[in-house]
């Protein structure tokens, strides 16, 4: 387009020039070797223009004749190169489709048309062909050649990394990934692999430094990078907690700024403050994370924040957590556990039953069994709650790639990936589905308290009288609809293989009967 415009401009200028000369006629006289030559100005200008054009045409002809051998050679070389690139393209497509025969054929044809020094992709075609054919040693050699070439170094390192992973050579794979990450931090595969290797080996400082480089190169999104850095800071702080509580606290606070909902970071900050005897700030950190994410580990740490507290003080702390998150099942469980420790059995039973109605879990029914054991000691009622626990859903736990851990870990022990643990119910649990009203049904079917359990409870706590004697013979669970009975027959049963205790007070005519209750 530019050439057309330039040519049009020249023609226009030439036409304007001749038009200007035509409007201004004149004579031109020239004396040459005694001869007088006279002509008009227009004829002279036309002669000069024709002479210049003739010279240009002659020069072009001479130039074409002089450079024709090189032009012919370049034409055939370009044609050969085009054929080579066509074969290379066909071979790469065949290799991607898994056609090893066509890929090998196109590889040989490309070798004959294009030099490998001229086009490094020939090594890639040959390596892919070797991988399809199962010749991994040959493919590895090709990747090594590509790794030595600056143009294909990244491609060669990735090929070597994948081959090392296939062979299970983790150390070699780590070296290839780190070399690629040092050369090109913007490579996602190298960045992620190197970050995982450094995290698995506990090189938290190197991992954080690499993550900062990758964040500057926009390998990860900002939110993802902040979350990963918070996890790395928390992992580094946990290692420093015993020796350097202040450094651990700084790492935990920095992690909380990047990921405010990261519960392990808040727990780490609270533990660091506790080691520094700063209980006020520890409680503030735990309260802050509790308001956003009520977690049982947070409740457990908060309730036992001060080692010298009495059980009543711990109960007050648990009730304070419940006031911050009313309706939270974990808060109710914390109150029930603290009330059990404080011997407040009525409150413990009420909170545990309320939590079971909202979200039945295995631990809640186990807690009810503990309450029954401490309050009445009736093994029949304890076994009733244990049976409910067997059918109840499992409690949430730290789960990563199918692995269940009792504590949070920064790296998955299965895949080695960073930040894989989630607080959720484990997969693959075997339990009966919990239907609406099942907890109320469990309360209605709760066995009555045996007479010997009542006697034992009175002996253990003679000063506690919560009802008249006639009503105390049959304590009713909180929120239970079971009517009170005036007389309770003792329970002499036992396990299925236990014949029970012989009672001589039973009349002879009833001894032959099989009495279960």
């Amino acid at each position: 387009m530019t050439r057309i415009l330039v040519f049009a401009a020249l023609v226009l200028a030439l036409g304007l020039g001749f038009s200007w000369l035509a409007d201004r006629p004149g004579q031109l006289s020239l004396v040459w070797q005694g001869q007088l030559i006279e002509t008009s100005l227009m004829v002279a200008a036309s002669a000069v223009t024709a002479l210049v054009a003739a010279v240009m045409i002659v020069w072009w002809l001479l130039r074409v004749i002089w450079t024709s051998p090189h032009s012919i050679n370049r034409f055939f070389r370009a044609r050969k190169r085009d054929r080579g690139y066509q074969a290379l393209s066909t071979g790469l497509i065949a290799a991607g489709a898994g056609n090893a025969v066509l890929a090998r054929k196109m590889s040989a044809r490309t070798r004959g048309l294009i030099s490998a020094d001229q086009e490094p992709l020939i090594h890639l075609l040959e390596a892919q062909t070797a991988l399809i054919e199962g010749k991994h040693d040959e493919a590895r050699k090709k990747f090594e050649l590509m790794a030595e070439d600056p143009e294909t170094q990244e491609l060669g390192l990735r090929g070597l990394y994948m081959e090392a992973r296939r062979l299970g050579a983790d150390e070699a794979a780590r070296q290839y990934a780190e070399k690629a990450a040092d050369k090109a931090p913007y490579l996602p595969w190298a960045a992620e692999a190197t970050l995982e290797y450094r995290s698995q080996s506990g090189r938290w400082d190197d991992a954080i430094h690499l993550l900062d480089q990758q964040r500057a190169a926009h390998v990860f999104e900002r939110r993802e990078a902040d979350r990963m850095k918070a996890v790395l800071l928390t992992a580094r702080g946990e290692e420093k907690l015993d020796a350097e509580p202040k450094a651990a606290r700084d790492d935990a606070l920095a992690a909380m700024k990047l990921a405010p909902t990261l519960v392990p970071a808040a727990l780490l900050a609270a533990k660091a403050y506790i080691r520094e005897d700063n209980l006020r700030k520890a409680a503030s950190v735990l309260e802050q994370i509790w308001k956003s994410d009520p977690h049982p580990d947070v409740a457990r740490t908060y309730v036992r924040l001060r080692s010298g507290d009495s059980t009543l003080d711990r109960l007050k702390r648990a009730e304070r957590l419940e006031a911050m998150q009313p309706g939270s099942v974990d808060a109710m469980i914390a109150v029930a556990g603290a009330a059990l420790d404080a011997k407040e059995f009525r409150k413990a039973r009420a909170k545990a039953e309320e939590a079971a109605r909202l979200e039945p879990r295995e631990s809640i029914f186990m807690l009810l069994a503990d309450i029954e054991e401490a309050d009445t000691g009736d093994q029949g009622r304890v076994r009733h709650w244990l049976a409910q626990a067997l059918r109840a859903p499992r409690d949430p736990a730290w789960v990563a790639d199918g692995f269940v851990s009792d504590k949070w870990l920064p790296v998955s022990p299965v895949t080695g990936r960073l930040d894989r643990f989630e607080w959720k119910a484990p997969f693959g649990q075997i339990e009966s589905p919990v239907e609406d009203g099942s907890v109320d049904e469990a309360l209605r079917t709760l066995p009555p308290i045996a007479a010997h359990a009542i006697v034992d409870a009175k002996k253990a706590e003679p000063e506690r009288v919560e009802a008249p004697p006639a009503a105390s013979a049959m304590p009713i669970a909180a929120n239970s609809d079971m009517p009170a009975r005036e007389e309770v027959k003792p329970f002499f049963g036992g396990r299925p293989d236990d014949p029970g205790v012989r009672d001589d007070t039973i009349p002879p005519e009833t001894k032959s009967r099989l009495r279960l209750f």
Side-chain angles (χ1 to χ4, degrees), residues 244-444:
E244 303 177 67
K246 185 177 180 181
R249 182 243 303 166
D250 293 339
D251 287 343
L253 294 178
M256 291 182 64
K257 290 181 180 179
L258 296 173
T261 59
L262 186 60
V263 174
L267 291 174
L268 175 62
K271 292 177 182 178
Y273 277 126
I274 292 173
R275 280 169 171 75
E276 295 176 350
D277 294 330
N278 195 341
L279 301 182
R280 183 180 61 83
K281 288 190 175 181
S284 176
V285 170
L286 293 175
E287 291 173 359
Q288 178 183 354
I289 192 64
W290 176 263
K291 292 177 182 179
S292 60
D293 185 6
H295 196 277
D297 291 344
V298 176
R300 191 178 303 109
T301 306
Y302 186 82
V303 170
R304 300 181 178 274
L305 188 63
R306 186 184 290 108
S307 58
D309 284 348
S310 64
T311 55
L312 292 177
D313 292 334
R314 294 175 181 173
L315 178 58
K316 292 179 180 179
R317 285 186 175 275
E319 291 176 343
R320 184 176 180 181
L321 288 179
E322 186 182 15
M324 295 180 189
Q325 284 285 354
S328 172
V329 175
D330 292 313
M332 296 176 186
I333 295 175
V335 174
L340 174 61
D341 295 338
K343 307 296 183 182
E344 297 286 343
F345 300 120
R346 184 179 296 276
K347 179 180 292 187
R349 184 179 286 107
K351 289 297 179 181
E353 291 177 0
E354 185 179 358
R357 286 189 177 93
L358 293 176
E359 186 179 344
R361 296 184 193 168
E362 179 184 359
S363 62
I364 299 177
F365 292 111
M366 296 291 291
L367 179 59
L368 284 169
D370 293 338
I371 294 172
E372 203 66 52
E373 176 74 22
D375 187 14
T376 65
D378 191 330
Q379 296 302 314
R381 297 166 69 92
V382 171
R383 286 194 296 270
H384 175 80
W385 290 122
L386 293 178
Q388 297 296 325
L390 290 176
R391 294 192 297 268
R394 295 176 61 183
D395 289 80
W398 291 111
V399 182
D401 302 316
F403 178 81
V404 182
S405 175
D406 56 348
K407 64 177 182 178
W408 177 84
L409 297 173
V411 180
S412 170
V414 179
T415 60
R417 300 188 63 183
L418 186 67
D419 190 23
R420 298 293 296 176
F421 275 93
E422 297 178 295
W423 182 257
K424 60 182 181 180
F427 294 107
Q429 58 183 5
I430 303 177
E431 73 269 350
S432 302
V434 179
E435 300 177 355
D436 295 340
S438 60
V439 178
D440 295 333
E441 181 66 22
L443 290 172
R444 282 194 295 268

Side-chain angles (χ1 to χ4, degrees), residues 3 33 161 327 464:
R3 292 184 178 182
Q33 294 183 357
Y161 168 77
R464 293 186 60 188

Side-chain angles (χ1 to χ4, degrees), residues 189-228:
W189 69 269
E192 185 176 355
T194 305
L195 196 62
E196 291 178 0
Y197 284 126
R198 292 181 180 180
S199 300
Q200 292 172 16
S201 59
R203 299 163 52 190
W204 307 117
D205 294 332
D206 295 339
I208 292 173
H209 177 69
L210 177 62
L211 182 60
D212 292 338
Q213 291 181 343
Q214 295 164 358
R215 182 175 180 178
H218 302 288
V219 176
F220 301 107
E221 295 183 359
R222 181 178 179 180
R223 182 178 300 179
E224 184 181 2
D226 289 345
R227 173 76 182 188
M228 296 174 68

Side-chain angles (χ1 to χ4, degrees), residues 81-95 103 105-107 109-111 113-115 119-126:
R81 182 190 59 192
D82 294 341
R83 290 170 57 197
Y85 277 112
Q86 182 63 37
L88 178 61
S89 177
T90 305
L92 290 174
I93 294 174
K105 180 180 178 181
M106 292 297 104
S107 175
R109 180 179 298 179
T110 305
R111 274 283 187 177
L113 298 173
I114 306 177
S115 173
E119 184 49 67
L121 287 178
I122 296 178
H123 294 307
L124 175 61
L125 175 57
E126 293 176 348

